[in-house]
């Protein structure tokens, strides 16, 4: 396994810690987060639990953690989910310099990653 000490925890321990973060932090503030945005503290807690590094582990573990986060707080889940695809891309990259520079920090959530899709207005479907 690659990454931080949190990302090397056993699966059951990581799910337990993700559930604790969801129950104690995410769920109680979900309404406020939906209105005001996702606080960095939510992402820091998920990073400390190891949940931001799950894209490099068993897909079933990531699915279960995603269910836990999404049930607790939809806004935080959206930012959490956006982080995983770029982490996978860095982890699978042939570029050793890129992996050395970014993989461990991404697994801890110190920097956040995301991906986006947009359409060019001239190519958009018009009704």
């Amino acid at each position: 396994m690659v990454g931080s000490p949190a990302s090397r925890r056993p699966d059951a321990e990581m799910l337990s810690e993700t559930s604790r973060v969801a129950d104690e932090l995410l769920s109680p503030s979900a309404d406020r987060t939906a209105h005001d945005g996702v606080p960095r503290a939510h992402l820091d807690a998920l990073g400390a639990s190891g949940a931001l590094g799950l894209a490099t582990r068993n897909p079933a573990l990531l699915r279960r953690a995603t269910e836990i986060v999404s049930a607790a707080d939809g806004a935080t889940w959206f930012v959490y989910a956006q982080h995983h695809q770029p982490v996978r891309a860095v982890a699978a990259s042939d570029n050793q310099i890129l992996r050395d520079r970014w993989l461990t920090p991404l697994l801890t959530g110190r920097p956040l990653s995301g991906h986006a899709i947009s359409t060019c207005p001239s190519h958009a479907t018009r009704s």
Side-chain angles (χ1 to χ4, degrees):
M1 281 181 256
V2 295
S4 68
S7 68
R8 291 188 291 269
R9 288 182 185 147
D11 292 358
E13 184 180 324
M14 292 187 74
L15 287 177
S16 176
E17 185 61 14
T18 301
S19 292
R20 186 193 63 74
V21 169
D23 293 344
E24 294 177 8
L25 179 64
L26 304 183
S27 188
S29 61
D31 289 340
R32 186 173 57 249
T33 299
H35 183 265
D36 297 338
V38 178
R40 180 64 206 203
H42 286 193
L43 305 168
D44 289 343
L46 288 170
S49 76
L52 290 175
L54 294 179
T56 61
R57 298 200 35 186
N58 178 341
L61 178 63
L62 176 59
R63 276 192 302 276
R64 183 64 189 117
T66 297
E67 290 170 357
I68 292 166
V69 174
S70 66
D73 179 356
T76 299
W77 163 81
F78 185 78
V79 175
Y80 170 79
Q82 289 287 308
H83 182 75
H84 295 302
Q85 185 57 38
V87 171
R88 279 190 206 95
V90 170
S93 175
D94 292 333
N95 184 333
Q96 185 65 42
I97 295 169
L98 175 76
R99 283 195 322 273
D100 289 347
R101 167 76 171 91
W102 288 106
L103 186 55
T104 296
L106 286 168
L107 293 173
T108 64
R110 282 193 321 262
L112 293 172
S113 60
H115 64 274
I117 300 171
S118 85
T119 60
C120 177
S122 64
H123 294 98
T125 304
R126 297 175 196 196
S127 303

